[in-house]
Amino acid sequence: MDETVAEFIKRTILKIPMTEMMTILKAWDFLPENQLQTVNFRQRKESLVQDLVLLCENKRASLRDAALLDIIYTQFHRHQKVWDVFQMSKEPGEDVDLFDMEQFKSSFEKILRRALKNVTVSFRDAEENAVWIRIAWGTQYRKPNQYKPVFVVYYSQTPYAFTSFCHLKSNTPLLSQALTVASNHHKIVKMDLRSRYLDSLKAIVFKQYNQLETKFKSDFHGGILAERKEPLRCLIKFSSPHLLEALKSLAPAGIADAPLSPLLTCIPNKGMNYFKIRDK
Amino acid sequence: MEWANDKSKGGVLAHLERLETQMSRSCKNLEDPPRETAESDLGTKIRKLRCLRDKLRAEVKQRQARIKASTANAEPDQTLEISEQEAVGGKEENMKAILQAYRFTGINLFASGLSGKRTSRGVCVCISTAFEGNLLDSYFVDLVIQKPLRIHHHSVPVFIPLEEISAKYLQTNIQHFLFCLCEYLNAYAGRKYQADQLQRDFAAFLAGPLQRNSLCNLLSFTYKVEPQSRSFPFCARLLYKDLTTTLPTDVTITYQGTDASSTSWEEQRASHENLFFTKPLHQVFTSFARNGER
């Protein structure tokens, strides 16, 4: 087994919390059950990882197997990534979309490889006719960097693709092209919608949400917001496991001013949660 | 009927006065019982007015029937058109009309699984799907009666072409919009049911997982027909280009066994193709299983 692959597998397994170790290894399905049973899972993590890597070496794990493990780890820890949403569109009056998953995968990979020889592309089928794609980018002269991959989640026959934040912005056009062509679309745009929570993004773009209307009242007397000559410049960061719910509850609490800014209420309707506010 | 509206001559009371005066004058002129004459005059008037009322009622009914008939001739099924006026005002009547149309239209609505419920701003339609007598998923479309008519909420899956169907029919023909959507959803539910049944009950006949997509309109699998056989000699590729049907439009069966020259394989292959065209997926495999048992 290649040294770089061994190192990659080692680092990936090290990331896995002990409580999830068995579950993830079983999902990977590379090391058979009977082999896993020979390993002592109660030892120190470093020693456990050494044992597991040895087993992988004996089984001659390839880069492909390692990439698959990385996908599974990321699926279990999807909240660690920030996801962007791309929206694709077709020409009007197109034929019925006979989406063929194998054709999509083959087409997607071909497009990337044609442009970039050094690239690692891996796929894992997921529930609801979706596919998780992992792409490790290289350059013309350098091998792909396995530690900074991009993940794409695509639900077949839908116009939306979810991609994890990519440091190498230069590869985004190529990725966009591959997605568009492989899925039989014509255009692709990046939406102003971004979150760590894939399920929330799905709920918004697939329109699987329930929207309630609220009015706010406020009661501010004095304080930093009152009687100012100049506008107040500040950065306000809202964070919560259920931010929109929290905002709705501001009404009964009597905290926010009325009416609520359309910037906040338009999120489900317009599918945007990323706003750029500039000086006039 | 001008006397009722003739304000310049003092209206109804003034007219009654005049009639009275007339009567008293004619009373003076005639020795015979003037009352009878006056009464019979009024009686005639009443009969004439009643006649006129009936005529007008009949005319209104006729006009209504003519409108219904002309719109019915435009489409084979009864149509319900939302006129601009209705969309802006008269929401209550419009709601009633839509719900009535659901109950009284020619096509059996209960068979197509449509039901409606009034909401504060419109109507929420629930579409139930079924296949071969099995009740499957339900979907809803929450319509807001405004100009233009719009969909407020819905639970239609994102890969069903709801925008296309809305663009074609929503503004001009609500019933057709709903029936069309019903067709797509029922067909999707039926295809999904067949694929699920195949995966669940006939996994032993398949080599590897059934390859499918969100709309279940492309299915690809490798299979065998003899349960005891260790090889999976057939490859199937089913395309459902018509999203309103539950049977494939294209079937390709290829034989990938080693005995390619034998005619019996070719016969089987051809007969399989025919089976997949005409029978639901899981029924085809039920018959394979039954033949295998013999």
Side-chain angles (χ1 to χ4, degrees):
Chain A
M1 190 163 82
D2 195 317
E3 237 181 57
T4 52
V5 174
E7 181 64 23
F8 179 35
I9 293 183
K10 180 172 149 215
R11 291 216 219 163
T12 310
I13 301 182
L14 268 172
K15 284 197 293 188
I16 305 173
M18 284 303 285
T19 48
E20 292 168 16
M21 192 64 75
M22 204 38 142
T23 320
I24 292 185
L25 289 175
K26 279 195 180 156
W28 188 30
D29 201 25
F30 176 72
L31 296 171
E33 181 86 42
N34 49 16
Q35 273 205 326
L36 287 175
Q37 277 170 7
T38 65
V39 178
N40 176 13
F41 280 86
R42 287 177 212 257
Q43 59 185 314
R44 254 178 44 237
K45 196 170 187 186
E46 289 81 26
S47 322
L48 169 65
V49 173
Q50 264 184 350
D51 287 354
L52 290 168
V53 173
L54 193 59
L55 285 177
C56 292
E57 271 187 18
N58 293 344
K59 246 202 141 200
R60 292 202 207 106
S62 63
L63 177 59
R64 194 185 173 163
D65 302 310
L68 191 60
L69 179 62
D70 195 17
I71 296 181
I72 297 171
Y73 172 80
T74 310
Q75 285 177 318
F76 272 78
H77 296 268
R78 50 188 79 180
H79 307 322
Q80 285 177 4
K81 304 266 179 213
V82 175
W83 300 91
D84 280 316
V85 189
F86 282 86
Q87 180 175 25
M88 298 182 280
S89 54
K90 295 186 188 228
E91 292 296 303
E94 278 227 10
D95 278 342
V96 167
D97 185 4
L98 293 158
F99 182 88
D100 183 333
M101 186 58 89
E102 296 311 305
Q103 229 170 55
F104 168 80
K105 291 177 192 172
S106 139
S107 178
F108 183 86
E109 182 161 3
K110 238 184 254 174
I111 293 170
L112 289 185
R113 280 200 191 288
R114 234 183 278 151
L116 206 60
K117 264 178 230 139
N118 287 317
V119 65
T120 311
V121 186
S122 324
F123 303 95
R124 185 167 197 249
D125 289 342
E127 71 294 325
E128 290 178 82
N129 301 290
V131 62
W132 278 62
I133 314 172
R134 176 186 181 276
I135 306 139
W137 303 105
T139 65
Q140 238 197 334
Y141 308 105
R142 263 196 268 137
K143 280 197 149 179
N145 181 350
Q146 301 299 338
Y147 298 97
K148 290 217 158 101
V150 164
F151 292 91
V152 180
V153 182
Y154 178 60
Y155 288 79
S156 62
Q157 292 168 317
T158 70
Y160 303 101
F162 306 96
T163 66
S164 68
F165 181 71
C166 182
H167 298 271
L168 290 164
K169 301 266 189 251
S170 56
N171 287 313
T172 309
L174 178 58
L175 175 60
S176 304
Q177 188 195 20
L179 267 171
T180 315
V181 176
S183 66
N184 298 317
H185 287 92
H186 276 102
K187 270 181 16 191
I188 184 166
V189 290
K190 183 149 164 285
M191 295 175 76
D192 287 324
L193 189 60
R194 170 186 296 178
S195 169
R196 287 186 183 278
Y197 298 97
L198 269 178
D199 288 338
S200 300
L201 294 173
K202 252 182 79 186
I204 289 175
V205 294
F206 293 173
K207 302 228 185 341
Q208 296 160 349
Y209 59 88
N210 261 319
Q211 189 190 6
L212 302 168
E213 286 151 313
T214 46
K215 282 206 166 111
F216 294 98
K217 53 181 158 75
S218 98
D219 218 302
F220 282 119
H221 296 299
I224 193 171
L225 295 174
E227 294 171 45
R228 287 186 62 85
K229 288 198 193 123
E230 292 150 39
L232 176 70
R233 290 176 194 283
C234 63
L235 172 69
I236 299 175
K237 183 179 173 186
F238 291 94
S239 112
S240 151
H242 295 284
L243 185 57
L244 292 180
E245 290 301 314
L247 286 173
K248 271 189 266 179
S249 69
L250 289 177
I255 293 171
D257 204 358
L260 188 62
S261 162
L263 283 178
L264 295 168
T265 54
C266 78
I267 290 166
N269 267 334
K270 291 196 178 170
M272 292 173 69
N273 72 348
Y274 189 69
F275 308 100
K276 292 185 187 116
I277 301 170
R278 295 185 185 85
D279 267 347
K280 268 201 177 164
Chain B
M1 296 273 271
E2 19 173 43
W3 59 267
N5 297 323
D6 203 343
K7 290 183 184 149
S8 60
K9 289 190 183 162
V12 177
L13 290 173
H15 191 71
L16 281 174
E17 254 184 60
R18 277 192 293 277
L19 283 174
E20 235 177 59
T21 337
Q22 243 180 34
M23 210 182 72
S24 56
R25 263 194 238 131
S26 55
C27 265
K28 285 179 198 160
N29 293 335
L30 296 165
E31 301 284 337
D32 287 65
R35 253 178 155 196
E36 270 181 29
T37 325
E39 267 178 20
S40 66
D41 278 345
L42 284 173
T44 324
K45 203 148 211 161
I46 290 171
R47 274 193 296 276
K48 278 187 183 163
L49 290 171
R50 280 193 183 141
C51 239
L52 188 60
R53 175 203 65 186
D54 292 334
K55 245 179 72 183
L56 289 169
R57 273 188 186 165
E59 220 178 64
V60 169
K61 270 202 172 143
Q62 257 186 29
R63 284 193 186 176
Q64 281 180 338
R66 250 181 270 145
I67 290 169
K68 266 197 171 161
S70 64
T71 53
N73 285 334
E75 302 264 349
D77 35 67
Q78 271 185 357
T79 62
L80 180 73
E81 295 188 5
I82 310 284
S83 69
E84 266 192 38
Q85 196 188 31
E86 281 176 315
V88 175
K91 292 178 189 177
E92 280 293 304
E93 298 80 56
N94 195 30
M95 227 53 59
K96 278 194 207 143
I98 292 175
L99 291 171
Q100 273 196 330
Y102 296 160
R103 272 179 249 126
F104 300 127
T105 194
I107 299 166
N108 190 347
L109 276 160
F110 295 109
S112 53
L114 271 175
S115 66
K117 194 176 79 169
R118 275 164 65 173
T119 64
S120 58
R121 16 163 186 234
V123 68
C124 184
V125 183
C126 177
I127 300 172
S128 312
T129 60
F131 184 70
E132 289 183 337
N134 300 294
L135 193 62
L136 303 170
D137 287 329
S138 295
Y139 305 92
F140 74 86
V141 179
D142 196 341
L143 295 167
V144 178
I145 305 294
Q146 266 179 16
K147 194 187 87 158
L149 199 62
R150 65 182 180 89
I151 299 172
H152 181 62
H153 280 152
H154 66 85
S155 66
V156 176
V158 63
F159 41 80
I160 298 284
L162 180 61
E163 276 100 53
E164 261 180 54
I165 304 170
S166 306
K168 268 196 222 167
Y169 304 117
L170 185 60
Q171 302 307 325
T172 51
N173 192 341
I174 280 194
Q175 253 185 333
H176 204 144
F177 163 76
L178 289 170
F179 284 138
C180 190
L181 187 57
C182 219
E183 261 193 321
Y184 273 81
L185 288 171
N186 268 289
Y188 159 68
R191 293 193 302 269
K192 183 171 178 296
Y193 177 79
Q194 292 175 63
D196 290 342
Q197 290 287 96
L198 177 61
Q199 272 183 302
R200 208 191 57 186
D201 295 345
F202 300 100
F205 286 84
L206 304 180
L210 169 68
Q211 203 200 306
R212 55 201 278 182
N213 57 23
S214 298
L215 279 166
C216 291
N217 70 344
L218 189 148
L219 301 175
S220 182
F221 51 93
T222 307
Y223 69 98
K224 64 182 176 184
V225 292
E226 283 156 42
Q228 334 77 288
S229 162
R230 264 187 259 151
S231 71
F232 298 84
F234 298 103
C235 265
R237 193 174 164 85
L238 310 181
L239 305 180
Y240 301 73
K241 286 182 183 162
D242 182 355
L243 291 179
T244 61
T245 61
T246 52
L247 286 173
T249 52
D250 296 64
V251 174
T252 315
I253 308 290
T254 49
Y255 172 66
Q256 55 175 25
T258 47
D259 203 7
S261 53
S262 160
T263 45
S264 74
W265 288 117
E266 175 50 38
E267 276 171 17
Q268 274 192 51
R269 191 203 64 79
S271 89
H272 290 184
E273 261 185 22
N274 189 46
L275 277 172
F276 284 114
F277 263 120
T278 52
K279 277 188 174 182
L281 204 48
H282 55 298
Q283 280 182 25
V284 175
F285 276 84
T286 308
S287 61
F288 287 161
R290 232 180 280 136
N291 293 341
E293 276 165 23
R294 279 200 228 125

